[in-house]
Amino acid sequence: MRKSKNAFHKQFARAIVILAIVFFAGHVSVAQAIPKLVLIGDSTVNNSSGDFRGWGNIIGESFDPAKIDVINRARGGRSSRTFITEGLWDQIKPTLAKGDIVLIQFGHNDGGPIDKDRARGSLKGIGSETQEATVESTQKKETVRTFGSYLRTYVADAKAKGAIVVLLSPVPRNRWTENKVERAAETYGGWSKAIAKETSSYFLDLNEITARKYEKDGSAKVDADYFTKIDNTHTSLAGARVNAESVVEGLRKIKRLKIDRFLAKR
């Protein structure tokens, strides 16, 4: 009888230990599952060529890596169209999870030809119209959609994974009329805003936030510090930092995101 009681106690103790291990392991895995801040876009977001930098190369400095994982998956030279057609978006979709935040900024390369050169242009606007094109370099046929239609794809796919979507207007180019920076409110910035409203996503007017900073600093400083002498689109390290700060500023204004909980302490 005593022997059987001892055996029972040993089995009971072993069961408790196993349950404790399972419980502890489960809590460790939950603790390690921090959300992701995923960036997609073009070279104004991700660029490490020469003196160029994108704001996505800088923005990680603003966040606490123990609380959120900043992943810059933007790719230079891509448009809302080619980021999909080249399979880059398909590589990202399976990695998204509930609670992740996806920042989407396109527009700089969408105004190009739909069939010549790099054939990366999308149709203007947010409608459902399409146009058949044969890409000159490959002779492949493609049904080209509008800028807004491609944005709808990103939003639908990300939300299907439980992710939170923020559409951004493109960073301003170094183009001035008198003392005013050229805006994108009537084109890609405005179209991004319209799709954000239509899909109940968030919109961050990066174009406007940074343009105001440029105007405050003046064109001479913007020319000298924020851009290289090569073109009026790609920013220097200092320019990328301005845009990254604008993104954080815009995210903080979206109160429902509660982005402050992820920011690094200064």
Side-chain angles (χ1 to χ4, degrees):
M1 182 75 175
R2 186 168 184 170
K3 188 174 181 181
S4 112
K5 280 185 179 181
N6 287 339
F8 172 77
H9 288 155
K10 287 181 180 179
Q11 290 177 353
F12 182 77
R14 191 180 297 113
I16 292 296
V17 170
I18 292 171
L19 286 173
I21 292 171
V22 171
F23 180 81
F24 178 74
H27 277 259
V28 168
S29 64
V30 169
Q32 291 175 339
I34 61 173
K36 298 185 291 294
L37 181 68
V38 181
L39 321 177
I40 69 168
D42 51 42
S43 57
T44 63
V45 185
N46 191 359
N47 197 340
S48 57
S49 175
D51 294 330
F52 294 137
R53 290 296 179 274
W55 60 258
N57 303 117
I58 306 299
I59 200 168
E61 298 172 0
S62 298
F63 291 89
D64 184 343
K67 296 179 180 177
I68 194 165
D69 188 11
V70 180
I71 301 174
N72 189 358
R73 297 296 297 273
R75 187 76 66 87
R78 272 58 181 189
S79 64
S80 66
R81 167 190 169 189
T82 57
F83 201 88
I84 291 174
T85 58
E86 291 181 15
L88 299 173
W89 180 234
D90 283 339
Q91 294 172 18
I92 296 170
K93 284 188 295 183
T95 70
L96 298 178
K98 185 176 181 180
D100 290 344
I101 302 171
V102 184
L103 306 188
I104 302 172
Q105 184 221 272
F106 286 108
H108 287 103
N109 299 315
D110 280 86
I114 66 170
D115 55 357
K116 296 179 177 61
D117 300 328
R118 300 195 203 180
R120 56 189 179 179
S122 58
L123 303 185
K124 291 178 171 56
I126 62 172
S128 58
E129 60 269 25
T130 61
Q131 184 174 333
E132 299 302 316
T134 301
V135 177
E136 196 173 71
S137 60
T138 62
Q139 290 302 301
K140 289 184 177 179
K141 294 184 178 181
E142 184 181 340
T143 301
V144 181
R145 299 186 278 145
T146 65
F147 176 75
S149 179
Y150 290 115
L151 291 190
R152 288 188 188 96
T153 295
Y154 295 114
V155 173
D157 290 347
K159 286 192 172 186
K161 301 289 287 187
I164 301 162
V165 178
V166 183
L167 297 179
L168 284 67
S169 54
V171 294
R173 288 185 166 96
N174 188 20
R175 290 178 180 168
W176 299 70
T177 300
E178 296 180 351
N179 295 318
K180 288 288 184 182
V181 175
E182 180 183 287
R183 303 298 206 270
E186 301 301 318
T187 55
Y188 297 102
W191 298 332
S192 296
K193 183 177 182 179
I195 295 299
K197 182 177 180 181
E198 175 192 310
T199 60
S200 298
S201 303
Y202 295 114
F203 174 68
L204 194 163
D205 200 348
L206 177 57
N207 188 268
E208 182 64 27
I209 296 172
T210 292
R212 289 180 181 178
K213 291 179 179 179
Y214 287 174
E215 290 167 356
K216 182 179 179 180
D217 290 342
S219 61
K221 181 175 178 60
V222 172
D223 281 340
D225 295 345
Y226 300 157
F227 289 85
T228 70
K229 302 299 181 184
I230 298 175
D231 63 29
N232 61 10
T233 300
H234 299 95
T235 51
S236 64
L237 176 61
R241 197 172 299 282
V242 170
N243 284 323
E245 290 171 354
S246 295
V247 173
V248 173
E249 180 183 329
L251 290 173
R252 296 186 76 182
K253 289 179 180 178
I254 304 173
K255 298 302 183 183
R256 290 187 178 181
L257 279 181
K258 299 179 181 179
I259 205 69
D260 284 0
R261 61 194 161 136
F262 300 125
L263 295 178
K265 294 181 179 180
R266 300 296 182 185

